Amino acid sequence: MGVRLMVVDDHRLVAEALASALKLRGHRVLAAAAPAAGAAELVISRAPEVCLIGTATPAEPGIFDPIVRIKRERPQVAVVVLGPVPSPRGIAAAFAAGASGYVRHDERIEGVERALMKARAGEAAVAPQLLQGAFSELLNPAAQPDDEGQRLLQMLTPREVEVLVRVADGEDTRLIAAGMGIAPSTARTHVQRVLMKLGVGSRLEAAALAARTGLLDRAGPVQVTSHPDDPGMPQGPESPVR
């Protein structure tokens, strides 16, 4: 006996192609619609046995909110997610929202059909290899990339951070000196130290690196400081940014 279902996807052509394939296999497709974000209203009004929801971003926050609403207002409707090979977070988010299954978007139509049948029967519909991959990633997580912006920020003293922010704002040595209440020679020394620590050869490169790594966002707004107008090197050690 065929499944009474609906197909929704972010791309209408995908939804219609899936609907056509499933109709040819004897299933009753009540609707094929896009985008997936608008699935809830349609499913609640049509009340299919199963809703197949396609998404390209299963780990994106809020992507499964329509499933939450469907399960709240039509708890008898089983939902199967069709998406890319997900991270463990993607699978967990789908099931936490109330989905009954998760199928890879490159699965053959027979695999999609099996998932729909299992979901209608109240069973979890997820391929063993997907679960195996998810558990493998959870047990052996990939190393997270370094937070380059934070690393660079920790290399600079508070005064050097202020200099970098001013450089990124386009201030020249004279303006930096006036804004910080220091001698131009001291400002020039700070700029050279910043360039050296960041491993760049120009102010433009320093500003670009700071913007790319998010260092400027972490540094926050420039605080107007007042330092002794020392024409030489700053006196005493400076504490690193914490």
Side-chain angles (χ1 to χ4, degrees):
M1 180 179 176
V3 178
R4 191 176 74 255
L5 61 96
M6 289 179 54
V7 181
V8 292
D9 192 277
D10 291 333
H11 301 92
R12 181 171 294 276
L13 286 176
V14 174
E16 291 176 350
L18 279 168
S20 297
L22 291 166
K23 282 180 182 179
L24 290 174
R25 301 182 72 86
H27 301 287
R28 182 184 174 195
V29 179
L30 302 181
E41 289 287 349
L42 201 55
V43 172
I44 291 166
S45 64
R46 298 289 187 91
E49 293 176 307
V50 182
C51 176
L52 181 62
I53 294 183
T55 178
T57 54
E60 183 177 319
I63 197 69
F64 295 129
D65 286 352
I67 299 178
V68 174
R69 185 181 171 197
I70 290 169
K71 298 304 292 184
R72 182 176 64 244
E73 300 193 29
R74 293 284 188 181
Q76 73 278 16
V77 176
V79 179
V80 174
V81 174
L82 182 70
V85 178
S87 66
R89 181 177 297 179
I91 290 181
F95 280 91
S100 300
Y102 193 105
V103 183
R104 285 173 46 152
H105 62 183
D106 58 354
E107 180 64 77
R108 297 172 64 88
I109 192 64
E110 293 86 357
V112 176
E113 184 178 37
R114 282 194 298 271
L116 297 176
M117 300 291 284
K118 291 183 72 172
R120 184 179 65 174
E123 303 175 29
V126 57
Q129 60 267 31
L130 275 184
L131 287 179
Q132 183 179 8
F135 283 127
S136 176
E137 186 174 335
L138 286 171
L139 293 172
N140 303 286
Q144 295 298 312
D146 292 336
D147 187 336
E148 188 178 4
Q150 182 63 28
R151 180 179 63 81
L152 293 174
L153 189 61
Q154 290 175 341
M155 294 169 57
L156 305 176
T157 66
R159 195 181 291 187
E160 288 166 351
V161 170
E162 181 176 351
V163 168
L164 177 59
V165 173
R166 291 179 180 277
V167 166
D169 285 341
E171 294 186 11
D172 59 18
T173 300
R174 180 180 57 81
L175 287 176
I176 293 172
M180 296 180 65
I182 57 178
S185 60
T186 303
R188 191 175 300 110
T189 297
H190 283 314
V191 170
Q192 290 303 316
R193 282 183 173 179
V194 169
L195 299 184
M196 180 183 67
K197 287 185 177 183
L198 296 183
V200 296
S202 70
R203 298 183 183 214
L204 182 60
E205 288 180 77
L209 178 62
R212 177 176 61 79
T213 61
L215 194 157
L216 293 177
D217 294 332
R218 292 177 182 275
V222 168
Q223 300 295 321
V224 177
T225 55
S226 178
H227 302 297
D229 192 5
D230 177 9
M233 300 293 288
Q235 300 299 310
E238 294 179 289
S239 301
V241 176
R242 299 293 182 190

